[in-house]
Every structure is written in C-alpha cells, then in structure tokens.
Amino acid sequence: TCSESLSKIYSEKHGMEFGFIRNGVDIEQYRYAEPDKKTEMKQRLGLPLDRIIVAYSGQFIERKDQEFAIEGILSSKSAEKVYMILMGDGPKFKQIRETYSENSKLLFTGNINNVSEYLQASDIYVSASKSEGMPNGVLEAMATGLPVLLSDIPQHMEVLEINNKYGMSYHLGDRADFIEKFDALMEKDLVCMGIEAYKTANNEF
C-alpha cells in the first residue's frame, strides 16, 4: 500500500496483510520558495501581494470536499486577509466554480501544468479530504515549504505525526473546529512552519 495507515486499515478491517511504501514527492519539481521568490511568483501569476494565499489542489470530487474548506475559510475571522487558489478539475468543478463566481477571494484555475509555481506563490495549504491513500498534494505543498491544515483522517495524521511543527489538524466535518484551527494557524510563524514542512518532505518523503 502507499501508506502505513492504509496497511493498518486493510489488516484491521479485512484481515489482509500488506507491507507499505509511502508515496513520495519529486523534490526537483517541488522546491522551497524563499520569501523573495514567493513575492516574485505572486507577481508573475498576478496574485495579490497583500493577502495570505491559501492553496488547495486536487480533483473536484465528493471525497476532496473543496466546498467545506471554502465555506470554512470564508466564515473565518481571517477571511479578509486571505486569497484562495483552488487547482484541479473534475465532476464538481463547474458547479462549485459557478456557486462562488462572484467571490473575489477565490481563484479556480482548472487543470494546470504549473501547480508547483502556484504552490511557491502560496503561504498555506489546506485539505478537507474525507479519505486518501497517501496525499500527494499535501506532500507537494510541504516540499514547496507550506504549512498545512488537514482533516484528521488516518493518512493526514500519518503525515503530521512525523513532525508536529509544520501543520495542524481539525476534526473531519467539524466546521467550527476547522475555522478555529485556520484562525489559529493564521497567527503562527508561517515561514518557520514552512521550513519544517520542507525539511520533512525532503527527509521523509
């Protein structure tokens, strides 16, 4: 399997014993962005320089639950400080984009081939996934030097338990907890947390 937590699930629920090799991240493609590089990338991509950029990448499907993250962030006390980039496509893409078409705090990129550049321009990564194998999007964000806010599914917790200095978790489906954790993360030293994320991605993934 692609994660230790998935291996445990197969064992406990189905009595099937599998070893695991965790998904990894291409650290040549996804590279740490120093603050100056981050500013340069924001300018190149036409992103606001006066906002904290929050990224979310992945297929627009029920399991990824982008709407939960969007609603939580827009309802937070930090909402006016934030600009959110949602990368990817899928069955729910058009409906979600249409729902928020009037909101100037959100950018829907669709499928793109420069995800790494948008991650380098970002400051925080979120994932509200209901299930994962081993989340590639999270690993890519970490390799780029982003702190993470993740749902507390086993695969996300496996990533966070390696080093608790680069991210936070919230209870899956609990909007109040998501908002509380997001606002708390916004008050932290995002640069220092990002360095920890980068180190861990390089050393462990």
Side-chain angles (χ1 to χ4, degrees):
T1 68
C2 60
S3 65
E4 182 177 12
S5 48
L6 203 57
S7 184
K8 288 179 180 177
I9 288 170
Y10 274 113
S11 176
E12 293 166 3
K13 291 190 175 181
H14 306 291
M16 302 169 74
E17 300 300 325
F18 295 107
F20 68 93
I21 300 173
R22 287 181 177 134
N23 285 349
V25 60
D26 182 349
I27 58 174
E28 291 301 313
Q29 182 177 0
Y30 295 93
R31 297 184 177 188
Y32 180 76
E34 299 281 353
D36 287 350
K37 175 72 171 177
K38 194 175 292 291
T39 300
E40 174 195 325
M41 201 60 73
K42 286 178 181 178
Q43 290 173 323
R44 184 191 302 180
L45 296 170
L47 302 173
L49 299 178
D50 59 346
R51 300 283 185 90
I52 298 294
I53 308 292
V54 180
Y56 196 160
S57 63
Q59 285 288 96
F60 279 72
I61 53 178
E62 181 66 28
R63 180 169 62 83
K64 295 291 187 179
D65 209 3
Q66 283 92 345
E67 288 166 292
F68 179 92
I70 292 169
E71 286 296 322
I73 288 171
L74 294 180
S75 301
S76 70
K77 70 180 183 183
S78 308
E80 294 307 314
K81 305 174 187 174
V82 168
Y83 186 81
M84 188 175 188
I85 302 169
L86 295 116
M87 294 171 275
D89 202 344
K92 297 191 72 178
F93 176 73
K94 288 183 179 178
Q95 173 251 309
I96 294 175
R97 183 179 61 180
E98 181 109 351
T99 299
Y100 299 100
S101 61
E102 302 298 316
N103 196 302
S104 61
K105 298 185 182 75
L106 305 175
L107 172 65
F108 294 89
T109 68
N111 272 340
I112 52 175
N113 58 15
N114 61 336
V115 171
S116 60
E117 293 184 351
Y118 277 96
L119 290 176
Q120 286 188 321
S122 299
D123 302 290
I124 293 173
Y125 186 88
V126 299
S127 174
S129 284
K130 299 174 182 178
S131 66
E132 290 283 353
M134 170 54 71
N136 289 322
V138 173
L139 303 185
E140 291 161 4
M142 287 170 53
T144 314
L146 299 186
V148 295
L149 174 60
L150 310 174
S151 57
D152 63 353
I153 60 173
Q155 293 73 31
H156 283 161
M157 298 309 294
E158 182 175 343
V159 172
L160 290 172
E161 285 163 3
I162 291 172
N163 176 347
N164 63 7
K165 296 178 181 176
Y166 52 75
M168 302 174 71
S169 66
Y170 72 91
H171 300 306
L172 179 67
D174 186 335
R175 181 168 294 168
D177 192 42
F178 176 92
I179 293 170
E180 180 183 330
K181 298 294 172 53
F182 181 75
D183 283 329
L185 184 58
M186 287 283 288
E187 299 298 321
K188 293 185 178 292
D189 187 331
L190 299 178
V191 174
C192 286
M193 291 182 75
I195 291 170
E196 291 293 332
Y198 162 75
K199 288 179 181 175
T200 302
N202 276 260
N203 294 335
E204 303 290 343
F205 296 102

